[in-house]
Amino acid sequence: MYGYNGKVLLVNLTDKSYEIEDLPEEWAKMYLGGSTLGARYLYRLMAPKTPALAPEAVLGMVCGVTNGSKAFMGTRIAVVCKSPVNDLWNDSSCGGSFGPHLRASGFDAVFITGKSEKPCYLFLDDGKVEFRDASHLWGKVTSWVDDTLHEELGNDISVFQIGPGGEHQSWMAAIICDKHRAAGRGGCGGVMGSKNLKAVVARGSHKIEIFDNKEIMDANKKCVAYGNKGEKGEHIMHQFRTTGTSEEYGICVLAADAPLKNWAGAPEDMPEEYAWALSGPEMDAKHRVGQTGCVGCHIRCGAVYKAHYKNYDLDHATRPEYESLGALGSMLLNGNSDVTIICNHLCNEYGYDTISCGDTLSWLMECYEKGVFTQEELDGIDFKWGDPDAILAMMEKLCACEGIGVPLQLASRGCARALGKGEECCVTANGIELPMHGGRFNPALVRTFQYDPTPGRHIKGGRGVPFSHNPDEVKYNYENTGKDDVAGLLEWEWSDLCGVCSFGNFLLPPGAMQQMVYGVTGFKFTPEELHKLSLRSFTMRHAFNLREGYRRKDFVIDGRAYGNPPMEKGPLKGITVDNEKLGDNFYGELGWDLETSEFPKEFCEEQGGLEYLYPDFFPDEACPA
Amino acid sequence: MNINIRFRTGEILKGIRAGEYSVPDGCTVREALDAAIEENSMELADHDREYLFVLVNNRLGEWENTLKDGDKLWILFKILGG
Ligand code: SF4
């Protein structure tokens, strides 16, 4: 089988045992990799109703198709599990070196269940599997752990690890790779921590057999040429090579796409210079000391930053991405770039998702402003909007997991419920804090946030962020949206299972990912097959939630996210998105039940590869083995 | 009439003057931008224009919107989603 090792590792941490399974070829072709292949395994390996943090819960790390090949940007690996935030399906992906290293270690995926009695790490060393003591690593920050393991094991490893946030089983804990790349969302780091698993370390020399390297090289060449002068990708590639996603920040604040003040603010609530202070060109001029990027990427969109504030003196932090800038910037009315970089750095060091972290702090600021929490309850911190000292002090509480930092581990909605107050200020989709492109500015995203099986994500399919540039009469029209919405599932499902960086959706020329997949595996897909693939992938994740007993009514989004009540000022004044109509159109286009979001058997038959769902969903009908 | 134009367009129209421009009464956003480009002796290829969007008085605008005296424009690089 081209492109795969053909081996999947199943680990049980309770008794330190493991099995190596063959990856069925038909599964490879049907589900390819990433969260889609992960969904197939998790459905099989995890019994329904298993709590996300129970020892029996399963955590998967699944290579994308291009991991381990020479395809540009092909390093993205998917983490799959159940989210502790809402007990729904969860997937989160990560660039960096771990995907290619996992492949080189001889495996296409690893699924981990059980709970180690003591902190341990898993060492996947060229086909060998070792359970190692991690007591010297427990409690330590990610850069220290990464350096220590490199010193102990050599330079040719990749470390995929949790920070102290994951050890505390935080619902916003990330899994970190290369010290600053994060599979951040949905609390997957907390799931790893619940297993007493500090890290998975991979190394190896396994080379997957490539179907046709010439195809990959040709695709790579086209990717580079796409950025040439006069080509469609010229400016966007230039932007990513220089200022990365941070270029967008000030623009999004100005346009009211980026949220302010826990989604209740308008651009006029924050001085304009704050927006520019956290934007790429201004940040680079002040903080940049170097460039960085994922292995095997021709763009290298990251930058190394220095930052200084009070007792913090960083000379090797990373430039926050757009999402982090929004969450730790405008959401807090924070215009201090040093403090933003430091908070972002603390998230990487302690292993927290920057989006959920910033949103949670923003929720807490609103609660404090409204008197829901007193200063005393916040450990004496005068937690006022935009105050850099207060922001830093609260970050330190969170990272140290002390005082108010203890309930904050549960993120905004979890903390509100644990303390019995403040839930009215939460802005989430099923408890997951929302990313930094707002639904009122981009109504198409409301459907994605609310009804994707992995709620609250901007990198899941639908009509997408660029749809926000349409005139008002188009973008706020809620008739007949289903067709485009369903068609739009493809690009994100596809980049995820390909293992190509999400930015590939606009940084790579059309067709490049297909050519890469063909070069790696020999699998060629017609447009119809690709469409089916995206529907299959979506359905597999959705089916996981249905089996848990969730139905359409259980997929909820907080009112403020779609303008209920509408804003009373600013460019988005008066806008309420018809989220239920968008949902009706979407499910209607799929041919699913509008009330329950259940799918008919004919739909499954049409997409193929969903027969494994029949015993659970169509038990009275013929069940294949 | 006078309108104020500011830019945040990366490499596109780099160096173009931001500030007040005198433009014909009743002109559109597109015409105002073209006037600014001409005044700065610059050019904007169609391919580059596709990268841009506009805010008129802080609200999402369209190229064919008619302007009035004192309007404030932001010409911006399109949001793609970071
Ligand atoms: S564009 Fe950036 S995030 Fe994506 S692969 Fe390249 S360096 Fe990594």
Side-chain angles (χ1 to χ4, degrees), chain A residues 73 75 96 181 240 292-294 297-302 321 501-503 507:
Chain A
M73 298 170 92
T75 62
R181 298 271 165 207
F240 268 71
T292 180
C294 302
C297 178
H298 59 305
I299 292 170
R300 294 173 59 76
C301 72
E321 298 287 345
C501 169
S502 321
F503 301 142
L507 290 172

Side-chain angles (χ1 to χ4, degrees), chain A residues 231-232 234-236 238-239 248 254 272 276 279 281-282 323 437 458 468-469 471 506 570-571, chain B residues 6 8 10-12 47-48 50-51 53 55 58-60 62 74 76-82:
Chain A
E231 294 295 330
K232 193 137 200 307
E234 174 191 356
H235 296 294
I236 189 66
H238 177 85
Q239 178 192 308
E248 280 193 354
L254 214 62
E272 192 184 302
W276 301 127
S279 288
E282 286 79 359
E323 292 291 326
H437 294 287
H458 63 299
S468 65
H469 291 292
F506 40 82
Chain B
R6 295 164 79 188
R8 190 75 178 194
E11 291 295 291
I12 303 172
H47 143 89
D48 291 340
E50 279 174 27
Y51 269 96
F53 77 105
L55 298 183
N58 295 327
R59 285 177 172 269
L60 204 55
E62 291 170 52
W74 264 108
L76 300 166
F77 201 84
K78 263 191 181 166
I79 301 165
L80 288 170

Side-chain angles (χ1 to χ4, degrees), chain A residues 79-92:
Chain A
V79 173
V80 296
C81 60
K82 206 173 182 191
S83 170
V85 178
N86 48 26
D87 261 345
L88 290 169
W89 164 265
N90 184 53
D91 59 89
S92 187

